[in-house]
Amino acid sequence: MTTVANTVVELNQVTKEYPGGVAALRGVDLRIERGELLAVVGPSGSGKSTLLHIVGTLDRPTAGTVAIAGHDVATLTDRRLSALRARHIGFVFQSFHLVSGITAQDNVAEGLLYSGLTRTERRKRAATALERVGLGDRMHHRPHELSGGQRQRVAIARAVVGEPDLLLADEPTGALDSASGDAVMQLLHDLNADGATIAVITHDSEIAGALPRQVRIRDGQIVQDTLKDAHANAYADTQPLEQAGGEEPCHATD
Ligand code: ADP
């Protein structure tokens, strides 16, 4: 299965209702293109985790459509959805979720478990990924022998070792001191500069503000998307030029 689609995520009118009638998402449209680095930002209870679960294909919407790398998730069985997730999406969590008792290298190699590669090849690629995140000298350390910032970098290496179409980072700096948090955000910027598509889920406006695109969510709805704002402004900027051509402004009636 090869993917050439430039749209990595496309949500159309996505609604998610939990049993008991809580509408955690209400008519969400979201499009993420290859190579983007964006923040999904909102206060607690706004629907960020629910959105993460839907975009990460860990949950299905109540209504609306979700396409990941061109695949409509509604048409896939749970088994094929798991395969799609393993192949296309990498996850980073606030609390790292590393396997204790095994080395950083083996933790990263776990990110290739469903790749069909041999164990030797998985470990080789894991070593390269650890070097990429600046932990080439910590390969044989176990999680408890690493600092929080180092653990998160191992988790990031695990998430990107399979070169997923999308990296979903859920409050990636939430458990870190500010210096380690800054280093993790810098790493995400560097990975993005190398081509990775990354969505950071955060409640922190300062973290969100440092990323090129911010999608603000509140009460289950997107209330601001700076990319759409930029497009709207670019469109507005073209209007005087068109009108300068001597024609009457066009007043559309529909
Ligand atoms: P956030 O991640 O922004 O804190 P969530 O997506 O976790 O927001 O929650 C959005 C809303 O959905 C909240 O009102 C929350 O209480 C509700 N909710 C989340 N998960 C469930 C669930 N499994 N069952 C019922 N309601 C839920």
Side-chain angles (χ1 to χ4, degrees):
M1 187 165 50
T2 52
T3 305
V4 291
N6 274 327
T7 302
V8 178
V9 173
E10 187 163 12
L11 267 52
N12 279 310
Q13 286 300 299
V14 163
T15 293
K16 178 68 187 178
E17 283 177 21
Y18 288 113
V22 178
L25 295 177
R26 299 184 288 142
V28 167
D29 292 324
L30 178 65
R31 199 180 165 111
I32 302 175
E33 300 290 344
R34 198 167 295 280
E36 282 202 70
L37 171 58
L38 72 147
V40 174
V41 58
S44 177
S46 56
K48 300 184 299 298
S49 301
T50 304
L51 187 61
L52 172 90
H53 280 90
I54 300 256
V55 171
T57 75
L58 297 163
D59 205 352
R60 295 174 189 264
T62 311
T65 60
V66 177
I68 304 297
H71 301 271
D72 178 354
V73 308
T75 64
L76 302 176
T77 60
D78 284 349
R79 194 159 157 245
R80 292 202 51 202
L81 197 57
S82 297
L84 175 106
R85 188 184 314 125
R87 190 183 176 92
H88 294 282
I89 304 175
F91 293 91
V92 171
F93 300 100
Q94 178 173 347
S95 50
F96 324 130
H97 288 201
L98 296 180
V99 180
S100 58
I102 65 171
T103 64
Q105 185 178 16
D106 286 332
N107 263 285
V108 175
E110 294 248 315
L112 292 169
L113 215 48
Y114 305 103
S115 63
L117 297 169
T118 63
R119 182 165 184 269
T120 307
E121 183 61 28
R122 292 199 304 267
R123 298 189 83 234
K124 195 170 144 205
R125 293 193 189 190
T128 305
L130 280 167
E131 273 157 23
R132 175 70 190 83
V133 302
L135 290 176
D137 58 348
R138 295 288 189 278
M139 215 126 24
H140 306 300
H141 285 57
R142 289 174 170 73
H144 73 272
E145 296 164 336
L146 297 168
S147 71
Q150 290 170 336
R151 286 184 217 180
Q152 193 59 304
R153 283 192 274 153
V154 173
I156 291 170
R158 179 182 57 189
V160 299
V161 67
E163 300 185 353
D165 290 293
L166 175 68
L167 175 62
L168 281 174
D170 187 11
E171 305 277 5
T173 63
L176 303 178
D177 62 80
S178 63
S180 307
D182 289 349
V184 160
M185 290 311 295
Q186 184 57 50
L187 174 60
L188 295 180
H189 270 101
D190 293 346
L191 292 169
N192 174 249
D194 288 346
T197 309
I198 305 176
V200 176
I201 287 79
T202 182
H203 69 281
D204 187 329
S205 288
E206 200 177 322
I207 286 173
L211 302 187
R213 176 184 178 192
Q214 295 103 44
V215 174
R216 284 186 191 282
I217 181 167
R218 191 172 285 268
D219 296 332
Q221 291 183 306
I222 290 176
V223 293
Q224 188 194 20
D225 182 341
T226 55
L227 188 69
K228 285 190 177 170
D229 293 351
H231 284 163
N233 289 339
Y235 177 73
D237 285 347
T238 66
Q239 296 309 293
L241 287 175
E242 284 171 8
Q243 288 169 22
E247 290 186 23
E248 286 291 305
C250 173
H251 298 291
T253 51
D254 56 2

